[in-house]
Amino acid sequence: MNLENQIILGDCFEIFKQIPDKPIDLIMTDIPYLYSDKMPSKNSSFCSKVMPTRTDLQKSNIDNGVDISWLDNACRVMKTINIYIWMSKMQIPEYLDYFVKKDCSFEILVWIKPNAMPLYSNKYCSDKEYCLYFRKGGYCQPKNKHAAATYFLRDINVADKKDIGHPTCKPLDITKTMIENSTHEGDIVLDPFAGSGTTAIACHWLKRKYIAIEKNKDFYNMAVKRLADEKKILELF
């Protein structure tokens, strides 16, 4: 497959057409989140704290979710259903419904952020993010209890977001754990919403092949640079 070990600039709905049936061992991705349109008053203290982050997402056009029809192609290209998807709370019901109807087993993995802003006016704190894992015979073999945990305690990665420049980058160590749990060396991992390239970098360190697709040119350039920098680091070892 000529797409292997590449970060590709393009829309995954189009790039999927270049991938034949069933070569992919795992999909690991962070889809554009869907957020509620009901925002607090611009004069509220809550709004003054959350709006900068929301504005970053809006500028990048990653706050309106994504058409769930991408899953039809995702299931076509996987050898068997074996997929991790980071998503917002609002997207969970739709994705659960899609995969449960396919008789998949699932886990809801959670990144818990102890240093999240303590904003709880008429709500629980926004101190976690969700990654749903679906499989239908897919490989899942954590090496130890730590790797098998369904939650990750990590502070908000402010430094990563500042250094990398992506508003929703996920911790590399969490990504590596998930990929290592659900693939073997040499397997092919697809990320159709590659963002800043974390999946590709994790695969490079873990000796997995990858196909990473990103349609935002700024994020694509960001991912290419990050991967090149990581390759230089790996050469030192």
Side-chain angles (χ1 to χ4, degrees):
M1 187 189 306
N2 61 3
L3 300 179
E4 288 179 10
N5 293 332
Q6 292 189 48
I7 300 176
I8 302 161
L9 177 61
D11 190 323
C12 69
F13 286 90
E14 294 299 319
I15 305 300
F16 266 124
K17 298 175 184 178
Q18 302 178 38
I19 304 176
D21 293 352
K22 299 187 180 303
I24 303 299
D25 297 285
L26 175 72
I27 291 178
M28 173 84 239
T29 198
D30 181 8
I31 63 174
Y33 282 15
L34 176 63
Y35 289 94
S36 172
D37 289 332
K38 295 180 180 180
M39 293 297 292
S41 165
K42 291 183 179 180
N43 295 322
S44 72
S45 60
F46 174 85
C47 190
S48 67
K49 294 174 182 175
V50 301
M51 281 305 291
T53 298
R54 181 67 187 272
T55 300
D56 288 342
L57 300 179
Q58 289 173 333
K59 286 180 179 178
S60 303
N61 195 27
I62 53 174
D63 70 326
N64 293 312
V66 62
D67 188 337
I68 198 170
S69 65
W70 75 272
L71 291 176
D72 296 336
N73 263 317
C75 291
R76 176 184 64 80
V77 303
M78 285 186 284
K79 292 176 181 176
T80 186
I81 294 174
N82 194 33
I83 180 170
Y84 291 92
I85 312 170
W86 289 96
M87 65 185 70
S88 72
K89 181 173 66 175
M90 293 181 66
Q91 293 165 299
I92 291 175
E94 189 174 29
Y95 280 79
L96 276 174
D97 182 66
Y98 181 94
F99 283 105
V100 169
K101 284 180 178 177
K102 291 183 176 294
D103 297 320
C104 294
S105 60
F106 69 90
E107 292 287 349
I108 300 179
L109 309 177
V110 183
W111 169 19
I112 300 171
K113 307 173 182 181
N115 68 334
M117 289 188 292
L119 304 175
Y120 49 85
S121 177
N122 200 35
K123 63 185 275 299
Y124 285 98
C125 288
S126 299
D127 56 0
K128 56 191 172 298
E129 291 193 44
Y130 303 93
C131 183
L132 272 62
Y133 174 48
F134 300 100
R135 67 186 180 109
K136 191 173 184 179
Y139 179 79
C140 183
Q141 289 291 333
K143 293 181 178 180
N144 51 53
K145 183 179 179 181
H146 176 76
T150 57
Y151 67 93
F152 304 88
L153 284 171
R154 302 287 189 283
D155 284 348
I156 296 174
N157 49 340
V158 177
D160 282 352
K161 291 180 180 181
K162 182 178 179 180
D163 293 342
I164 296 168
H166 192 284
T168 65
C169 56
K170 298 302 184 291
L172 179 60
D173 64 323
I174 294 178
T175 304
K176 288 171 69 176
T177 295
M178 293 176 178
I179 291 174
E180 191 167 31
N181 284 348
S182 297
T183 58
H184 301 91
E185 284 192 14
D187 281 354
I188 303 174
V189 180
L190 170 65
D191 186 347
F193 305 95
S196 61
T198 303
T199 295
I201 292 167
C203 287
H204 186 71
W205 279 96
L206 295 171
K207 299 180 180 178
R208 273 68 167 168
K209 300 173 185 176
Y210 58 86
I211 301 172
I213 306 167
E214 177 51 52
K215 71 177 184 178
N216 181 300
K217 190 172 182 180
D218 291 337
F219 293 163
Y220 164 79
N221 290 333
M222 190 184 300
V224 170
K225 182 181 184 304
R226 283 188 72 202
L227 182 61
D229 290 344
E230 291 289 332
K231 286 181 177 180
K232 291 177 183 177
I233 294 172
L234 191 59
E235 288 173 0
L236 298 177
F237 293 91

